[in-house]
Amino acid sequence: MQQQARRVPLADLTARVGRELEALARMSISLQRALSASGIDSSLPPQIIRELQSIDRISQSLEDLGVFVSTLAEQISPDLACDADPIFASLRLQDLADTLDPQHFTEIETRASEGGVSWL
């Protein structure tokens, strides 16, 4: 007897991806603040400073993508689902798979405005 594949609602999965993107944005902002507070010397070559400042672009993109995907999740029909096993098996990080899997409970963090971060 063949076991039936576990289905995951696409709307739930997409909402979780959006929240994960927003959490990554918050982590990126924290990293940016830590680097800024570490006293990055203005004597660094301009190319290095520009590369460090690109973290701001990464943070903003992750935050925007998180909001976009969360909004998209609200538009997805609750009837749409996909096979869970191949999707979660594609992830290397088990904790990420657990975070994204609606079968696992995860506490929802509220979005916090981090404001601007200034560099040098």
Side-chain angles (χ1 to χ4, degrees), residues 6-109:
R6 182 170 69 95
R7 305 284 289 167
V8 60
L10 214 45
D12 291 347
L13 179 61
T14 306
R16 285 172 174 258
V17 170
R19 287 194 304 266
E20 184 64 19
L21 286 166
E22 291 174 10
L24 290 170
R26 288 190 296 276
M27 287 172 53
S28 179
I29 290 168
S30 294
L31 173 62
Q32 185 176 359
R33 285 192 174 138
L35 285 170
S36 184
S38 70
I40 294 176
D41 192 321
S42 62
S43 67
L44 287 172
Q47 177 61 28
I48 299 294
I49 292 172
R50 277 192 297 278
E51 288 175 7
L52 288 171
Q53 288 175 329
S54 69
I55 295 171
D56 183 53
R57 170 84 163 118
I58 293 168
S59 301
Q60 290 179 31
S61 295
L62 285 169
E63 188 172 23
D64 277 357
L65 286 169
V67 172
F68 177 83
V69 171
S70 294
T71 304
L72 177 64
E74 296 169 3
Q75 300 293 317
I76 296 174
S77 168
D79 298 332
L80 290 177
C82 57
D83 290 337
D85 293 337
I87 289 172
F88 296 121
S90 71
L91 299 172
R92 291 181 297 166
L93 301 174
Q94 185 59 49
D95 63 326
L96 180 58
D98 290 345
T99 298
L100 297 180
D101 189 346
Q103 182 173 317
H104 296 274
F105 173 78
T106 57
E107 190 172 319
I108 299 173
E109 286 190 47

